Amino acid sequence: KGRPTATLAAPQAVASATAQPEAAVPRVTAAMSTGEGRLALVIGNANYREAPLKNPVNDARALAAKLRQLGFEVMLGENLQQREMTRLITSFGEKLAGKGVGMFYYAGHGMQVKGRNYLLPVDARISSEASARSESVDLEQVLDQLSNSGSQFNLVILDACRNNPFERRFRGSTGGLAQVDAPKGTLIAFATAPGKVAMDGEGENGTYTTALLRTLAEPGLNVESVFKRVRSEV
């Protein structure tokens, strides 16, 4: 299915960020695991009424454990309904204020409607494109929380490009997620190229998160190197 097609700086990047000098790119397993003020929100949604998934909760738990090893304080959410998801994202933004590094990770169903990306809570009831906004969580809500927090560096990882279970109800629907322009100081990593579909994986974890966990175990890598290696493995 979907396959990442480029590195950070390329036009079809699986991750996008405001341009930074190489020396300014944080190291995931070195600089980001020292100092103070690292907070991550990790969400895994799997128990959908329609098209349940196997691995997102496993993915979220495994990544949360890895991030704690790297010195992050972790907020973990599993199988969240819309209200729970929205409140947790708001709480994350408030708690992130003034910290050095913020990370948001989401595994589960995601979809794009008219160029905007939506993350699906497990209780989503979507009958048409018009209902997507009221039943889902707009990715822009997450980006706003990160931008308003004042944190020095933010990372968003979206393993959320599984098949849209509501696609048959949409007119002219496009699979996968839409490309996003990262706010200043924020890097956004996708599990696959824009408009493509990611794999849930055959083992305990999804294909993308399996590669991410393995790469995060390597010492001394900066952010760009991490996602280049993940892309190569996926």
Side-chain angles (χ1 to χ4, degrees):
K1 292 184 179 180
R3 175 179 180 272
T5 58
T7 58
L8 294 180
Q12 296 177 334
V14 298
S16 59
T18 302
Q20 302 179 61
E22 176 66 21
V25 178
R27 294 185 180 277
V28 172
T29 57
M32 289 178 67
S33 61
T34 61
E36 298 180 357
R38 299 170 307 282
L39 178 66
L41 172 56
V42 178
I43 295 176
N45 285 344
N47 292 341
Y48 292 93
R49 290 190 178 105
E50 299 182 55
L53 296 168
K54 182 178 70 171
N55 287 324
V57 170
N58 293 338
D59 292 341
R61 290 176 180 176
L63 184 63
K66 174 57 66 177
L67 291 175
R68 290 188 180 107
Q69 291 177 7
L70 293 175
F72 278 77
E73 178 183 356
V74 178
M75 302 170 67
L76 177 62
E78 301 177 4
N79 292 318
L80 300 180
Q81 297 184 6
Q82 185 190 37
R83 181 174 295 182
E84 296 170 328
M85 196 167 168
T86 299
R87 286 177 173 173
L88 188 58
I89 290 170
T90 300
S91 177
F92 168 64
E94 293 171 348
K95 198 170 184 177
L96 184 61
K99 293 189 182 295
V101 178
M103 178 183 289
F104 175 80
Y105 169 91
Y106 173 79
H109 279 305
M111 63 182 180
Q112 62 165 300
V113 178
K114 296 181 179 179
R116 294 183 72 93
N117 291 321
Y118 296 90
L119 310 179
L120 274 59
V122 295
D123 62 338
R125 293 182 179 274
I126 299 175
S127 58
S128 65
E129 290 184 6
S131 64
R133 179 172 297 179
S134 62
E135 292 286 328
S136 303
V137 175
D138 193 332
L139 177 61
E140 289 297 324
Q141 178 181 344
V142 177
L143 299 180
D144 286 345
Q145 293 291 342
L146 293 171
S147 296
N148 295 334
S149 70
S151 55
Q152 298 175 16
F153 177 78
N154 298 310
L155 178 60
V156 176
I157 302 174
L158 300 173
D159 194 356
C161 310
R162 278 88 167 180
N163 280 322
N164 175 7
F166 308 100
E167 187 172 2
R168 63 186 180 275
R169 303 169 190 172
F170 294 177
R171 295 180 179 178
S173 176
T174 302
L177 297 179
Q179 182 67 46
V180 178
D181 291 328
K184 183 178 180 180
T186 299
L187 183 146
I188 303 176
F190 294 90
T192 188
K196 302 298 182 181
V197 177
M199 293 177 286
D200 198 27
E202 298 299 329
E204 292 185 358
N205 296 111
T207 301
Y208 182 83
T209 298
T210 296
L212 179 62
L213 290 168
R214 186 177 294 114
T215 305
L216 286 175
E218 301 181 29
L221 296 179
N222 65 27
V223 172
E224 183 174 7
S225 297
V226 166
F227 289 104
K228 282 182 176 179
R229 294 196 183 191
V230 171
R231 169 190 176 265
S232 177
E233 183 168 337
V234 173

